[in-house]
Amino acid sequence: MKSQNVAYKYAITAIFFWSTVATAFKVALKYLNPVELVFYASISSALILLLIILIKKRVKDVQVFIKSNWKTVFLLALINPFLYYLVLFEAYNILPAQEAQSINYTWALMLAFLSAIFLKQKLTLNDIVAGIICYFGVLIISTKGEPFSLNFSNIDGVLLALLSTILWSMYWIVNTKNRVDPLIGVFSNFLFSLPLIAIYGYFSGSLNSLPEINGVFASIYIGIFEMGVTFLFWLNAMQYAVSTSKIANLIFISPFLSLIFIHFVLKEEIYYSTLFGLITIIAGLVIQQLKRDRSNN
């Protein structure tokens, strides 16, 4: 049964938790290296999703899906969570949280561009204009308000953050061919990715010591509220929604709410250039969505 009020409750819950994860990333990275964080967060996410699957008695569905789609599951697991979160956490390890999270929000735009290449979807004028605006916003943030100087605060971190948007977009492009309940699909990805992360961590020497307990607690939080159940909250919001566009547009609250957590928990000074750049990015994303919103209404 459709219920916009129920949809709002699920959506606001998801947005709140997503708004905390940039702060949680930086807290965890004080105690863990990026590989450790991916590993322990992935274990946490896999366990919470397994618990949901056991409660819903859907283990058989997982077995059937993996048996008939193991190649696709392996490819998706390689992209996300393995490569995507390794790159994303390394970007957060290098950049201030406010910069990394702002750049990461351009993934929706990257998805449009890559879909035009790999899915042969038409690139609209809105997409092109949005691209110019969004990436100008990235320039503003990454140069601390001097976009024409091209004097980046940390070019490696910026490139890693942009690479994470490519990986996340590729994950969704590959996933378009994957007709499966998201709960089953996401759990299967984590199940396949854990050995990959463990092998990489072992041979890179990143998992050769016991982690600090504070880092483990932070990674558990990330595993549950970034990688796990929050995604299901969002899916429920979209399923209950009478107007999906009104729910989808709520996501633009998240980066600004995230800055509040970053400032008060991490004690990062929020630069005016970050606020202006983030507003520029959001403006670009809104322009990109205009045609879609009109078609949904």
Side-chain angles (χ1 to χ4, degrees), residues 159-180:
L159 291 175
L160 283 170
L162 289 172
L163 177 58
S164 75
T165 69
I166 295 174
L167 290 168
W168 187 243
S169 300
M170 288 304 300
Y171 170 75
W172 285 108
I173 288 171
V174 175
N175 218 18
T176 57
K177 302 177 182 179
N178 204 16
R179 307 299 180 189
V180 64

